[in-house]
Amino acid sequence: MNPAARKIQSVYLVLTLGNTLAASFIWGINTLFLLDAGLSNLEAFAANAFFTAGMVLFEVPTGVVADSWGRRASFLLGTVTLAGSTFLYYLLWQYSAPFWWWAAVSVLLGLGFTFFSGAVEAWLVDALQYSAYEGTLETVLGRGQMVSGIAMLAGSVAGGVIAQATNLGVPFLLRVGVLAAMFAVAFLLMHDVGFTPDRSARPVSAVRAVLKASVDGGLRHPPVRYIMLAAPFTQGVGIYVFYALQPYLLQLFGDPRAYAVAGLAAAIVAGADVVGGWMAPRVRRLVHRRTTVLVASTVASALILVILLFTTSFWLALVLLMLWGMVGSAGTPVRQAYLNDMIPSRQRATVLSFDSLMGSSGGVVVQPLLGRAADLYGYPASLAISGGVQLLAAPFILLSRRQRSQADTATDVTAAP
């Protein structure tokens, strides 16, 4: 890796570290926070569904920001929006607000995250190409996932411990503070290179152009289309499972107020992310086609969720949770690299945002349905149902594989369009 590429990678890792640390303060206790505010399981997961609905609603407009004003501008707007909406969440908890207030602010949280989705990854790939990096995308994206896992490990454990020592609202205030610091870091270090924003189009025309580019570069391109169609099943299930594991593990543990245990669960997933990020480029070197990794990861993680139906031991559940996170995270950088190698630079942020939109749309439907299943049949049954839903993604990945895209066997970042 040459010095210019190494600098780009360093900035990417710093941004990933800070963003994940800020977000993860609440990841271990978010469901408990919502239930403590007086929401039912259905309402809590419906609030999460409104969050993902916000991501669906705003993915395209914020994609316009990334392509028209730059990926740096999009990132800065994301930090401000997410910090403000997180503070509103804290106020709703303080005043035990009714559900529809939670729904509205959850949509704003979704808006904050859409400013990040696609923009940072597109910034990285374009900047690496501009700096003449000759390695694989899996290597850099895997390192990013490892850094993200470390940050999540620290943040989720700290969030659970701090919540138990103080109250469930303090981790939300910590997130606001770290996001403010990340605004300053990105303002100083993140600059668009290898990409020139196009500010000539008016907003409505720009949104129309983004939608067209999303369709042309995504849904009309068969190998990309099928990977996108798999996303609602994998990502929708992933969001539900992560948050459902908090109350599920507390039930197995036997203490509903052991918030540190909920933080520990998120930390184990974070540790699995670190291992998975380390494994991704190594597994990729052993396997000729990227879609082989994606199918194996999808099927194996789904089977683990089904096994949780028969688990009554807290410690065994933790081990299975670790395996679930590790198997899933090993496939994530491979999927990112596969998509990026099929997307032209000019459409990169747009198509990646549209891919995120597809995944979020699955969460809008999956989360309340599985939350209702948890109310009716319990968390173990809802997790097993989640595994069945995730298996529906495998046929779409196989259809993408049948297109025999060059990206399926690519090993060099310079192979990207």
Side-chain angles (χ1 to χ4, degrees):
M1 183 176 291
N2 62 54
R6 190 175 301 280
K7 181 179 179 181
I8 295 299
Q9 177 185 251
S10 298
V11 175
Y12 167 68
L13 295 180
V14 168
L15 296 177
T16 300
L17 176 70
N19 254 23
T20 309
L21 181 65
S24 63
F25 279 128
I26 73 164
W27 281 348
I29 49 97
N30 183 68
T31 305
L32 306 177
F33 175 84
L34 295 173
L35 296 175
D36 188 67
L39 302 183
S40 66
N41 275 317
L42 174 61
E43 289 173 330
F45 287 104
N48 285 339
F50 273 96
F51 161 73
T52 51
M55 295 187 72
V56 171
L57 181 63
F58 294 113
E59 277 291 0
V60 171
T62 55
V64 171
V65 172
D67 286 336
S68 301
W69 291 93
R71 285 77 189 261
R72 176 175 180 261
S74 186
F75 186 93
L76 294 174
L77 284 170
T79 57
V80 172
T81 306
L82 192 55
S85 51
T86 298
F87 185 69
L88 288 176
Y89 238 44
Y90 172 79
L91 294 179
L92 295 182
W93 173 75
Q94 284 275 50
Y95 295 103
S96 299
F99 168 74
W100 289 109
W101 280 105
W102 289 98
V105 177
S106 294
V107 171
L108 290 179
L109 281 169
L111 169 62
F113 276 101
T114 58
F115 280 114
F116 298 134
S117 63
V120 178
E121 191 174 315
W123 172 84
L124 170 70
V125 176
D126 288 338
L128 286 176
Q129 290 181 347
Y130 180 79
S131 62
Y133 171 63
E134 297 181 354
T136 64
L137 280 177
E138 281 95 341
T139 299
V140 180
L141 292 170
R143 288 170 182 163
Q145 185 168 296
M146 291 172 69
V147 167
S148 177
I150 292 169
M152 182 180 168
L153 180 66
S156 54
V157 170
V161 171
I162 290 169
Q164 188 163 329
T166 55
N167 59 62
L168 286 166
V170 172
F172 286 78
L173 297 179
L174 288 174
R175 175 195 265 192
V176 174
V178 174
L179 285 170
M182 288 312 300
F183 178 92
V185 170
F187 187 83
L188 294 173
L189 299 180
M190 186 181 185
H191 303 284
D192 289 322
V193 292
F195 168 79
T196 303
D198 180 7
R199 303 179 182 178
S200 60
R202 294 182 178 181
V204 175
S205 299
V207 169
R208 190 180 298 116
V210 164
L211 283 171
K212 184 178 184 301
S214 298
V215 173
D216 291 344
L219 294 180
R220 286 182 179 171
H221 188 32
V224 176
R225 175 173 68 239
Y226 292 125
I227 289 296
M228 286 185 171
L229 290 176
F233 303 105
T234 55
Q235 295 184 34
V237 165
I239 294 170
Y240 171 77
V241 171
F242 181 78
Y243 288 114
L245 285 171
Q246 299 164 19
Y248 166 66
L249 288 174
L250 286 184
Q251 281 185 357
L252 291 178
F253 189 72
D255 183 356
R257 297 188 63 83
Y259 302 138
V261 170
L264 175 62
I268 288 176
V269 174
D273 269 354
V274 175
V275 176
W278 176 83
M279 288 173 56
R282 290 159 177 81
V283 171
R284 179 67 185 88
R285 285 196 290 268
L286 297 174
V287 178
H288 181 59
R289 303 182 69 171
R290 285 166 167 161
T291 49
T292 301
V293 180
L294 300 184
V295 171
S297 171
T298 299
V299 173
S301 57
L303 292 177
I304 292 170
L305 293 177
V306 173
I307 293 172
L308 285 170
L309 174 64
F310 308 101
T311 304
T312 57
S313 166
F314 171 78
W315 297 107
L316 178 57
L318 284 182
V319 172
L320 291 172
L321 169 58
M322 183 182 301
L323 290 174
W324 172 77
M326 193 163 54
V327 169
S329 63
T332 300
V334 178
R335 183 184 187 276
Q336 290 171 296
Y338 182 43
L339 269 181
N340 274 285
D341 275 351
M342 294 188 289
I343 304 170
S345 173
R346 189 170 184 82
Q347 298 175 341
R348 198 180 306 281
T350 295
V351 177
L352 290 176
S353 289
F354 195 75
D355 175 58
S356 180
L357 181 153
M358 293 291 290
S360 298
S361 66
V364 173
V365 178
V366 167
Q367 289 186 89
L369 291 178
L370 292 176
R372 182 58 177 164
D375 278 334
L376 293 175
Y377 311 114
Y379 287 112
S382 72
L383 294 174
I385 295 170
S386 299
V389 172
Q390 182 169 309
L391 283 175
L392 297 176
F396 292 103
I397 301 173
L398 291 172
L399 286 171
S400 179
R401 178 190 181 92
R402 288 182 62 185
Q403 306 307 309
R404 298 191 176 278
S405 169
Q406 187 178 7
D408 201 3
T409 56
T411 58
D412 195 311
V413 72
T414 55

